[in-house]
């Protein structure tokens, strides 16, 4: 199937300034992400940015890039602008790949894109959690699915809550219990992506600080690809950056 990857990239980062331009084996991180995404079979890969330094870094490395407005409240709004600029039709599939995922699995991008059908305007991904610390960590977002692998709810809380198992303690996970961790990768039908910025912010989204809850709140389904392998972690901290750098400098 045909799909377009758009990578939103802002220079501002409270924990890691200038993150998209951090050097990874002689190339900026945003370039590494785009090159990785290109291995997914995407028809095109485009970086969406509001900063001239990111724009210039992409151009120097032959990465397609589009400048956007600076006032977008989220990456989803930013990629919607670029998808419109590219003139993509309503039924085109657009994948939002985060700009701090230089080790993202290209096959995960393709699998998530493949879920977006005419009756499912949006898709994302998840994997099973086997570590108790992650299950109870509010920074690890969980998702619960229905029988058709569509999201019922996303939460920072431990869902589903194993009533009987956790009554015995929380040091180890109950047998045959593996909650799903949400992976921040999104695919959209472009028609829905263009409508998304007009959807009113939902109370649940504000409480949990999870943008995808806006979609469920307004009654739209989100299909979820469950992968067997946890993806390599993205780059949020200086420690993350050093870990990823070792991949490019063995």
């Amino acid at each position: 199937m045909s799909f377009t990857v758009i990578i939103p990239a802002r220079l501002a980062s409270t924990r890691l300034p200038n993150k998209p331009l951090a050097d990874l084996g002689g190339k900026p991180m945003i370039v590494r992400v785009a090159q990785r995404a290109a291995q997914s079979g995407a028809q095109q890969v485009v970086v969406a940015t509001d900063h001239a330094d990111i724009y210039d870094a992409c151009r120097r490395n032959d990465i397609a890039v589009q400048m956007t407005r600076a006032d977008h409240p989220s990456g989803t709004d930013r990629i919607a602008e670029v998808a419109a600029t590219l003139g993509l039709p309503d039924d085109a599939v657009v994948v939002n790949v985060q700009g701090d995922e230089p080790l993202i699995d290209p096959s995960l991008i393709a699998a998530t894109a493949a879920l977006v059908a005419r009756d499912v305007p949006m898709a994302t991904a998840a994997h099973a959690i086997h570590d108790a610390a992650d299950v109870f960590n509010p920074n690890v977002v969980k998702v619960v699915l229905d029988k058709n692998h569509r999201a019922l709810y996303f939460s920072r809380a431990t869902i589903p809550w194993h009533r009987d198992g956790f009554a015995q303690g929380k040091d180890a996970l109950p047998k045959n219990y593996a909650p799903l961790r949400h992976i921040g990768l999104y695919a959209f039908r472009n028609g829905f992506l263009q409508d998304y910025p007009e959807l009113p912010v939902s109370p649940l989204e504000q409480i949990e600080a999870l943008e995808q809850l806006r979609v469920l709140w307004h009654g739209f389904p989100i299909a979820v690809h469950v992968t067997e392998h946890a993806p390599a972690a993205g780059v949020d901290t200086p420690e993350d950056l050093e870990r990823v750098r070792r991949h490019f400098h063995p």
Side-chain angles (χ1 to χ4, degrees):
M1 66 168 295
S2 174
F3 61 94
T4 294
V5 170
I6 303 180
I7 306 168
R10 296 175 63 248
L11 205 59
S13 173
T14 55
R15 290 184 288 184
L16 196 60
N18 300 325
K19 181 167 62 170
L21 299 178
D23 182 82
L24 295 178
K27 294 183 179 180
M29 183 186 305
I30 190 63
V31 171
R32 293 292 190 186
V33 175
Q35 291 175 334
R36 191 86 167 180
Q39 298 173 26
S40 67
Q43 184 178 25
Q44 58 183 333
V45 177
V46 183
V47 171
T49 187
D50 60 359
H51 202 283
D53 289 351
I54 296 176
Y55 182 89
D56 291 343
C58 291
R59 292 294 298 269
R60 284 195 303 271
N61 288 274
D62 297 320
I63 300 299
V65 58
Q66 293 274 349
M67 288 293 291
T68 70
R69 303 198 325 258
D71 60 348
H72 285 302
S74 73
T76 307
D77 297 87
R78 193 175 305 282
I79 71 166
E81 179 188 342
V82 170
T85 300
L86 292 173
L88 298 178
D90 283 351
D91 63 351
V93 178
V94 179
V95 183
N96 180 350
V97 173
Q98 301 300 318
D100 56 4
E101 299 275 357
L103 300 181
I104 190 167
D105 182 356
S107 66
L108 183 62
I109 298 174
T112 303
L115 284 183
V116 181
R118 290 183 179 178
D119 61 337
V120 181
M122 180 175 171
T124 189
H127 70 86
I129 307 173
H130 301 289
D131 183 78
D134 286 341
V135 170
F136 295 105
N137 183 349
N139 293 317
V140 176
V141 178
K142 275 72 69 173
V143 59
V144 172
L145 310 182
D146 68 11
K147 66 177 183 178
N148 297 314
H149 275 216
R150 296 185 180 185
L152 289 170
Y153 192 65
F154 297 86
S155 183
R156 298 181 183 278
T158 305
I159 57 173
W161 181 262
H162 200 301
R163 188 197 66 171
D164 295 338
F166 291 146
Q168 309 302 318
K170 301 177 185 177
D171 295 331
L173 297 182
K175 186 178 180 180
N176 299 323
Y177 170 78
L180 294 175
R181 170 182 172 253
H182 176 233
I183 300 169
L185 173 72
Y186 298 101
F188 304 87
R189 281 280 168 187
N190 186 44
F192 178 73
L193 177 62
Q194 297 306 317
D195 292 339
Y196 175 89
E198 305 305 318
L199 292 177
V201 174
S202 73
L204 292 177
E205 168 189 4
Q206 293 177 311
I207 292 170
E208 296 256 20
L210 296 175
E211 180 186 342
Q212 63 270 32
L213 287 174
R214 185 185 315 179
V215 177
L216 298 184
W217 172 266
H218 288 284
F220 296 99
I222 302 176
V224 181
H225 170 71
V226 178
T227 177
E228 293 182 4
H229 307 290
V235 178
D236 290 320
T237 67
E239 292 76 19
D240 292 335
L241 182 58
E242 289 308 311
R243 169 182 50 79
V244 172
R245 277 178 171 156
R246 288 194 292 273
H247 174 85
F248 294 98
H249 290 286

